[in-house]
Amino acid sequence: MKIITIEEEAWKQLNSRINAIADYLKRMEDTGYDDLWLNNHEVCQYLHISEKTLWRMRTKGEIAYSKIYGQYFYTIGAIKDMLNANAIQSSDDYVQELMAKGKSYIEKGRKLKTGVNS
């Protein structure tokens, strides 16, 4: 076994890069629900806002959505993007709380499809 020594500053930089990669991978794991579509009611419950507020956000272009037969749908990823775009301080804790509540609500309320059935 070889022992390799490096300068302290080089070690700090290497350790910082490793931690950044680990953080990135953790975030990538949490995107499993980003493509899940939610309706108006679900989004309003998650964000604790009224449908009128959600309508204002939609008309101002603050949140991405799709309209199908008169109903509006949003992805969790679009909600996260909107929250991050409007963040004044780090909103990671709020986004994590939103994801936990969303996962809990979805798992209780409906069954998720694990595969694509076309």
Side-chain angles (χ1 to χ4, degrees):
M1 179 166 104
K2 291 184 179 181
I3 297 176
I4 301 171
T5 59
I6 60 174
E7 294 179 353
E8 181 179 6
E9 187 59 33
W11 168 251
K12 287 180 182 178
Q13 289 178 358
L14 178 63
N15 195 33
S16 174
R17 289 180 182 168
I18 291 170
N19 287 334
I21 292 169
D23 290 343
Y24 175 77
L25 292 174
K26 285 179 189 174
R27 285 193 307 270
M28 293 304 292
E29 290 174 1
D30 288 341
T31 61
Y33 287 91
D34 280 1
D35 292 333
L36 183 65
W37 290 91
L38 309 174
N39 63 27
N40 272 353
H41 180 72
E42 292 167 328
V43 173
C44 290
Q45 281 189 323
Y46 294 154
L47 298 178
H48 303 286
I49 61 174
S50 69
E51 289 197 19
K52 179 77 172 183
T53 299
L54 185 57
W55 173 81
R56 279 190 217 112
M57 293 165 63
R58 192 172 57 240
T59 57
K60 290 181 182 178
E62 295 174 354
I63 187 167
Y65 66 93
S66 288
K67 182 178 179 182
I68 302 172
Y69 297 113
Q71 291 189 11
Y72 295 93
F73 296 92
Y74 315 81
T75 62
I76 288 180
I79 296 167
K80 286 169 52 178
D81 291 344
M82 183 268 310
L83 289 173
N84 287 328
N86 292 298
I88 295 170
Q89 299 177 356
S90 174
S91 63
D92 287 344
D93 292 338
Y94 185 73
V95 171
Q96 293 302 323
E97 181 182 335
L98 173 67
M99 291 296 296
K101 286 181 182 178
K103 288 176 186 177
S104 173
Y105 179 81
I106 291 164
E107 288 167 356
K108 289 178 187 174
R110 58 178 133 139
K111 298 190 187 278
L112 294 176
K113 294 180 183 177
T114 55
V116 177
N117 295 333
S118 297

